[in-house]
Structures are given as structure tokens and as C-alpha cells.
Amino acid sequence: MTPVAIVTGASRGIGAAVARALGRAGASVAVHYGTHAEEAEAVAAEIRAGGAKAITIGADVASEAEITAMFARVDRELGPITWLVNNAGGIVAVEPIAEVRRETVERVLAVNLAGPIYCCREAVRRMSTARGGAGGAIVNISSMAAVLGGLPNEVPYAASKGGLDSLTIGLAREVATEGIRVNAIRPGVIDTPIHAMHHGERFATDFAPNLPMKRAGTSEEIAEAAAWLLSPAASYVTGSILNVSGGR
């Protein structure tokens, strides 16, 4: 049976690399995007060129209604979901706590934590063997910020990723007898556009000397870890959080 995967935030960076890796693994992939439709379509086209099925879906992962609609569309066009990768997220703003705005806090928590909770809800409703599903696996893309506190003036982001870690552990235990495995990955400093948006295009390169391995990681290295956690090779792994951080 062909696996069906939803990867949120898959138009670029880690999400795009994960979507491509799952396509290579033979999955039909829903490439979700928030604002970068053309880039998402390019990722989907690459997956289709490799022989797998792919569609693109635009949705605001801060919206419960749009998340529900996304899963319903995947039901119609690809079939029952097998794998979910909660990758979509954002720093939103770089602000010290003394100056943090309400809209920053609300958006960070909505995108980085509430969105994954709703996505997990929809996935569990479909995957759970207790509800007639065939089982499945979920991978949440967290961050080393969850345990290190994040970069300067990014405390709300770090706090939201800490919540994602707790979601992973708690949900894994909740659905362990329902055929669903739930794990997370904590990337370290990865060379993706998320840093360029807030710290400058050279941030990952400039920060590399501070890392044990003296280099930033790549999106593909995170994708390989995600593909393994979703695969049958990780059949006895659930409730785990894998640091992919070059030793940081």
C-alpha cells in the first residue's frame, strides 16, 4: 500500500527536503505551503518527476478550519494519511521579552504549537486503529531552542518548541496502543531561509565556528532523520526526540 504523507511548511528548507525524501521513498505527498505557492509547486513537480504522486495545498496552519479542510482534501485526492510531518513554524519576530508584543506571542504559539496540535488531532482521527484506521507515524520538527532557550530575543519561539516536545511525548504515550508512533527531531543550526529572515543571509555560516562540528547542518540531513523515524525501520521508536544538531 502506498504511504500518504502530509508535510507542513514544505515549500522550502527542511519541509521541502522532507517532502522530496518521502517522495523518493514512494509516498504520495501533500506539499503544504503558507505563502510560497510557486516554490511548493516546484517541490511537488520534482516529486512527480521521480514517479510519486504529489499535490500542493495552501493553508494557514494557525487556522483550525484551514487545517481541517487540508486533511479533508488529502482524504479525497490521495487517500488515508499514513505519515504526518509537522514542520511549519516561524520565529515571527526578534524581540526581548520586555518589549514582546501580544501579536508576536499569539502568532508564534498559533503556528508553532496550536497548529501541530490540530494537525495531530486530524491525523490521529484517521490513523488510529481504535477508530478504524491502519496506523501511522508522526514526526514533529522541534528545535534545539527548546532546551537551549533559543537565540537572543527569541524566547517565545523557544517556548513554543518546548511545548512541541511535550506534545510529542504525551501524544506518543496516548496513542501507543493505537498503531501510531510519535517522535520529534530537534534541528540545530541548519542553513535554511528561516535565519536569513531574521539574522541575515550569512548567519548559519558565521555561527558555524561556535558549533562542535564547525559547520551548519543541511535540510537534507534533517530529512533523512525524519524519513527514518517514519519508516518501519523505526518500528519500536516512539516518544523519542532526536537531536540532529552537530553536537550542540
Side-chain angles (χ1 to χ4, degrees):
M1 183 175 178
T2 301
V4 173
I6 296 176
V7 183
T8 67
S11 62
R12 50 169 59 183
I14 290 171
V18 171
R20 289 191 292 263
L22 300 187
R24 289 194 298 271
S28 297
V29 184
V31 179
H32 162 267
Y33 66 91
T35 57
H36 299 97
E38 291 184 3
E39 291 173 90
E41 181 52 43
V43 173
E46 185 176 340
I47 293 169
R48 290 191 289 265
K53 189 172 183 179
I55 62 173
T56 60
I57 302 179
D60 181 356
V61 291
S63 167
E64 179 186 7
E66 292 190 31
I67 287 171
T68 301
M70 174 174 67
F71 275 80
R73 183 178 165 196
V74 172
D75 290 339
R76 294 191 304 269
E77 298 189 23
L78 297 180
I81 182 175
T82 313
W83 298 332
L84 167 65
V85 180
N86 280 312
N87 169 74
I91 296 167
V92 179
V94 177
E95 299 168 341
I97 284 293
E99 299 174 12
V100 73
R101 296 167 295 158
R102 174 177 55 81
E103 53 265 36
T104 297
V105 174
E106 291 181 353
R107 183 66 183 174
V108 166
L109 294 178
V111 171
N112 296 354
L113 186 54
I117 289 173
Y118 293 135
C119 285
C120 285
R121 180 191 70 187
E122 295 302 311
V124 168
R125 286 175 175 176
R126 291 160 171 80
M127 294 176 180
S128 171
T129 55
R131 294 172 173 265
I138 298 170
V139 170
N140 296 318
I141 304 299
S142 180
S143 170
M144 287 304 296
V147 292
L148 298 176
L151 295 169
N153 302 327
E154 293 180 4
V155 171
Y157 173 80
S160 70
K161 292 299 187 176
L164 193 60
D165 285 1
S166 293
L167 168 65
T168 300
I169 296 166
L171 181 58
R173 293 173 179 172
E174 182 177 312
V175 299
T177 60
E178 298 177 30
I180 304 171
R181 296 182 301 103
V182 187
N183 294 289
I185 294 171
R186 290 190 191 119
V189 176
I190 308 298
D191 193 0
T192 72
I194 192 172
H195 295 300
M197 292 172 62
H198 299 283
H199 300 285
E201 293 183 359
R202 287 187 49 82
F203 171 79
T205 301
D206 292 343
F207 195 82
N210 300 307
L211 304 173
M213 291 183 71
K214 306 303 180 187
R215 69 171 179 87
T218 68
S219 296
E220 288 71 24
E221 287 171 314
I222 305 301
E224 289 298 321
W228 178 76
L229 284 170
L230 293 169
S231 77
S235 58
Y236 199 54
V237 181
T238 196
S240 294
I241 303 176
L242 176 62
N243 294 347
V244 185
S245 61
R248 183 166 180 252

